Amino acid sequence: MENTDSFLHVLDGDGTDVTFAETGLPGERLVWRDVLYEGPRTGAVPPDERELAARARYLTADAPPGRTPTPEGALRMLRAQYARLRRAAAEGTPLVLWFDACLFDQAMLAHVLACLSVWGMPPSVALICPDSFPGHPRFNGLGELTAPELASLWPAREPLTPAHVAHAVRADRAFALRDRALLEALAAESDAPLRFVPAAARRLLQEFPDPVTGLGRLEQLALQAVAAGAHTPPEIFRAAAQLDSPPQYWGDSQLYRTLNRLAEQTPPRLVIDAPGGKIPAFATPEELAPIRVRLP
């Protein structure tokens, strides 16, 4: 039997990490945390200190003063995840990458592999990336699975090759720069080494402003949810998720950031009845409860 004690499992979020800890699969875990299809990116691989600091500020921009994570805390987190991946590359640690088929995860997957293309690929790098799972008719990703369900994916891991890495480098640049021509080229691929990247590129293209409405798809879903009667942030999240098609690439922080942007437009598309007129990042359920979002 393969010894997995030395493996580093790179996971796509804290939700997966909590469940993964109960799978019984040995090895260290590294949770990758960043929204790599939006915010300030230069396309540099790996990003330099200035870019990391800009991303830390972006990720915490809607947080009230003193909220955890602070920009300084987010910067430490970003530094640490890159440092751990780089050490794994230097030491030749076997890697298993656990990512979903959605835009959020495909952007992270492409970036992780692009970084490894610079630092050096360990001898063993494998990918687990399901787009469906028995008993989950509306499957959105690994975070929905139980520990036994996650563990059952282990035998299906796919060894990654130089072709996967070369494709990831192109995809990472397209996602980083949000370059329409590069994204359209990815979206048109019919036999991509990373088979879910084309759909992720198509989804990101849908987030570009519509020439008629000026809205991206998530903005449209958010406005539809409010117009249909959802007015608290959690209500809007649930309603927009039902309107969307799986795999859902966005989480609550992305949605609430989108709602804030809609409220900040001139004229505003939404009104947020909350201190400062915006939904605070990293808010607790108790803090979200009194907030109301409405059409102007």
Side-chain angles (χ1 to χ4, degrees):
M1 181 179 292
E2 186 176 31
N3 179 11
T4 62
D5 289 345
S6 64
F7 275 56
L8 178 63
H9 301 276
V10 183
L11 306 176
D12 67 337
D14 293 290
T16 303
D17 182 45
V18 170
T19 309
F20 191 93
E22 303 171 358
T23 62
L25 291 172
E28 186 183 349
R29 308 190 306 276
L30 169 62
V31 179
W32 204 266
R33 302 178 179 93
D34 203 351
V35 188
L36 288 162
Y37 55 84
E38 65 179 29
R41 291 192 65 192
T42 65
V45 179
D48 63 17
E49 184 70 12
R50 177 181 293 183
E51 184 171 336
L52 289 182
R55 291 208 58 73
R57 290 192 297 271
Y58 175 79
L59 293 172
T60 58
D62 288 346
R67 175 75 65 184
T68 302
T70 62
E72 296 76 18
L75 178 57
R76 287 192 295 271
M77 177 270 294
L78 291 172
R79 286 172 177 160
Q81 68 185 21
Y82 283 99
R84 182 63 188 94
L85 186 66
R86 185 169 190 167
R87 180 158 61 90
E91 296 174 352
T93 303
L95 298 177
V96 184
L97 313 179
W98 299 72
F99 289 98
D100 297 331
C102 69
L103 167 59
F104 180 83
D105 279 33
Q106 292 300 296
M108 287 196 294
L109 169 61
H111 187 62
V112 166
L113 290 176
C115 289
L116 292 174
S117 77
V118 175
W119 293 328
M121 288 284 284
S124 174
V125 181
L127 174 64
I128 294 175
C129 186
D131 65 338
S132 62
F133 197 91
H136 294 261
R138 190 180 167 87
F139 181 66
N140 281 298
L142 299 169
E144 298 180 353
L145 301 181
T146 66
E149 289 173 333
L150 270 180
S152 74
L153 295 170
W154 177 252
R157 62 197 183 279
E158 174 188 9
L160 297 185
T161 68
H164 292 101
V165 177
H167 189 241
V169 170
R170 290 197 298 113
D172 181 56
R173 183 164 183 80
F175 290 134
L177 302 180
R178 293 175 68 95
D179 183 288
R180 183 182 289 275
L182 295 177
L183 289 167
E184 287 175 344
L186 286 174
E189 293 184 0
S190 59
D191 192 22
L194 294 170
R195 62 194 180 102
F196 300 124
V197 160
R202 289 192 291 272
R203 182 57 191 259
L204 184 53
L205 286 167
Q206 292 175 13
E207 296 302 334
F208 282 46
D210 179 85
V212 175
T213 67
L215 298 169
R217 182 173 175 184
L218 183 55
E219 291 174 329
Q220 293 171 345
L221 294 174
L223 287 173
Q224 283 180 253
V226 176
H231 294 296
T232 68
E235 287 173 350
I236 298 168
F237 181 92
R238 290 189 293 270
Q242 285 301 309
L243 291 168
D244 204 357
S245 55
Q248 180 182 314
Y249 78 90
W250 46 272
D252 55 1
S253 61
Q254 288 84 31
L255 176 64
Y256 299 161
R257 190 156 49 234
T258 297
L259 293 170
N260 288 338
R261 285 199 300 262
L262 289 168
E264 291 165 354
Q265 291 182 8
T266 305
R269 305 259 190 169
L270 290 173
V271 175
I272 299 175
D273 295 321
K278 65 169 53 178
I279 302 169
F282 318 115
T284 65
E286 292 75 20
E287 291 169 322
L288 290 174
I291 294 176
R292 294 293 180 272
V293 181
R294 54 186 171 84
L295 298 176

